[in-house]
Amino acid sequence: QVQLVESGGGLVQPGGSLRLSCAASTGRIFVLNPMGWYRQAPGKERELVASITSDGSTNYADSVKGRFTISRDNFKNTMYLRMNSLKPDDTAVYYCNGRDYRSLQYWGQGTQVTVSS
């Protein structure tokens, strides 16, 4: 069993940066493959923002390519999402996710990111 906890969200101006963290409060993230960041804006469906496999392969939504970077540190038991050049359209609740070898999915509680001047 893995419990995931996000942090690092907040209010930022357009063009600004944030780094989100997803730490495992119980369990180890190395058992999760892949891991990913999702987001859900008001009135919209949850969408995949970025994902990373255990060997470090990454995948990004077209809307964030070149601006966001996903990474994971199994020793620190944490996954990250570095977000640069933020836009108002990036405003959403961001969730981290991981899937284990039984295809069970684990979700964090979410962290709010608001991009506004």
Side-chain angles (χ1 to χ4, degrees), residues 102-115:
R102 298 165 295 179
S103 294
L104 291 177
Q105 298 220 38
Y106 302 91
W107 292 92
Q109 83 289 348
T111 185
Q112 176 71 46
V113 172
T114 302
V115 184

Side-chain angles (χ1 to χ4, degrees), residues 6-103:
E6 302 97 336
S7 61
L11 173 64
V12 63
Q13 292 187 341
S17 298
L18 283 174
R19 188 181 77 160
L20 305 183
S21 298
C22 171
S25 60
T26 61
R28 303 296 300 178
I29 69 165
F30 75 83
V31 302
L32 302 178
N33 184 35
M35 294 189 73
W37 287 96
Y38 289 73
R39 67 186 181 187
Q40 187 166 20
K44 294 187 178 181
E45 292 188 355
R46 191 173 296 190
E47 63 174 352
L48 177 64
V49 175
S51 64
I52 185 167
T53 63
S54 57
D55 64 0
S57 297
T58 59
N59 185 54
Y60 296 92
D62 287 343
S63 59
V64 307
K65 280 181 181 176
R67 300 189 297 122
F68 290 12
T69 303
I70 188 172
S71 61
R72 63 191 291 175
D73 186 332
N74 290 339
F75 292 103
K76 293 185 178 179
N77 217 18
T78 304
M79 178 180 65
Y80 304 96
L81 184 68
R82 178 67 180 180
M83 305 185 294
N84 295 327
S85 303
L86 282 161
K87 305 174 182 179
D89 284 350
D90 296 317
T91 295
V93 178
Y94 284 71
Y95 299 90
C96 68
N97 167 274
R99 187 180 67 198
D100 71 12
Y101 71 97
R102 298 165 295 179
S103 294

